[in-house]
Amino acid sequence: FHRAAAAALQSVGCDVVDVGIAPTPTVQLAVEDLGAAGGLAVALKDAFSSRGGLWFGWSGETTERETRGVRLVSEGCVDFALADLTEAEHQGYYLGYANRALWPVFHYRIDLARFADEDWAAYAGVNRRFGHLLNHLLRKDDLVWVHDYHFLLLGQELRNNGWQGSLGFFLHIPFPGYEIYRLLPRKWASGILDGLMGSDLIGFHTREWMDLFTDYVVSEAKGDVTGENADGSYEDDDLF
């Protein structure tokens, strides 16, 4: 996926806006120290270097109170828009819902999961706030790529803020089977699905995880999957 994504981004006649939660300790690390960076950063470096773009995400810093706006930093043709989390958001959104609810459930470790309404509220709140912040930075011809389980609701939040441009999402962890996913409280499970449906394109690491997602869409949400050929491929890569 990473090489294919980089090639696709380079071929598009618009700037790339990448959204990820991984803290950026320094801009130097994000741009130059690719030996220590993850596969995503390595793959997108060439696309960013040749076309320019915006990397939006958490700054890695926490504050006692919510701060307005973002910090903008530039390195070459890449702009970084960094938003802080409050201490309460870090506890509820990041350490709480993302790491104690989503991560265990999506990795079939229900024994480690903690379900708390206040964590869900914090998770939804950060996705809502980040969607508002990012929307103000976008231009109509931008291509937005959202990454991973920390931002499952962000696509729909961008739509709610009026974004009508291209929007993709890639999940970097497994999507669980129906019998596991349905253990999430119904309002959470349906909220996540609504969030993902804001994207034009949804990507998974394996065909198995994609099939598990589509099975849930069909069986629980009564959705339709169209465009599948007899060999299992898709004419329209709405899911890949």
Side-chain angles (χ1 to χ4, degrees), residues 4-234:
L9 293 175
Q10 286 179 305
S11 68
V12 176
C14 57
D15 284 343
V16 178
V17 178
D18 186 61
V19 184
I21 188 60
T24 308
T26 65
V27 174
Q28 265 332 85
L29 172 62
V31 177
E32 297 178 359
D33 190 10
L34 294 179
L40 175 65
V42 173
L44 291 178
K45 179 196 180 267
D46 288 341
F48 276 131
S49 297
S50 62
R51 302 206 61 89
L54 172 70
W55 189 297
F56 173 86
W58 176 34
S59 66
E61 302 291 332
T62 59
T63 59
E64 183 177 348
R65 297 182 180 181
E66 182 179 318
T67 56
R68 294 184 178 182
V70 297
R71 295 201 305 276
L72 296 175
V73 183
S74 296
E75 280 287 334
C77 60
V78 182
D79 296 322
F80 294 84
L82 308 176
D84 298 334
L85 294 177
T86 66
E87 294 175 4
E89 287 173 337
H90 184 246
Q91 288 295 322
Y93 155 76
Y94 186 72
L95 298 179
Y97 192 78
N99 288 347
R100 296 196 190 106
L102 288 178
W103 195 96
V105 169
F106 280 44
H107 286 88
Y108 295 83
R109 291 301 308 271
I110 301 301
D111 57 310
L112 300 178
R114 174 182 181 270
F115 297 162
D117 284 337
E118 60 269 25
D119 289 348
W120 165 255
Y123 182 85
V126 169
N127 274 256
R128 187 179 310 112
R129 182 164 73 87
F130 275 34
H132 179 73
L133 290 172
L134 177 57
N135 186 63
H136 285 291
L137 301 172
L138 297 176
R139 298 175 297 189
K140 64 179 182 179
D141 59 346
D142 284 338
L143 169 66
V144 180
W145 280 89
V146 181
H147 294 277
D148 224 1
Y149 61 103
H150 306 86
F151 288 125
L152 294 171
L153 311 183
L154 187 62
Q156 189 56 51
E157 291 298 342
L158 284 170
R159 299 303 187 196
N160 292 343
N161 278 277
W163 175 245
Q164 298 179 1
S166 298
L167 176 59
F169 175 86
F170 191 83
L171 184 64
H172 292 267
I173 62 173
F175 190 87
Y178 172 75
E179 292 302 322
I180 299 296
Y181 185 75
R182 68 195 296 262
L183 295 177
L184 289 171
R186 180 174 292 272
K187 67 178 181 179
W188 298 2
S190 61
I192 290 170
L193 182 61
D194 289 343
L196 290 172
M197 290 299 101
S199 300
D200 301 307
L201 181 70
I202 304 173
F204 302 86
H205 272 291
T206 71
R207 175 60 189 257
E208 176 187 359
W209 298 344
M210 184 190 76
D211 287 342
L212 291 173
F213 175 76
T214 56
D215 286 347
Y216 177 79
V217 171
V218 172
S219 61
E220 182 67 14
K222 310 305 179 185
D224 295 318
V225 177
T226 60
E228 187 171 10
N229 299 315
D231 63 357
S233 62
Y234 286 87

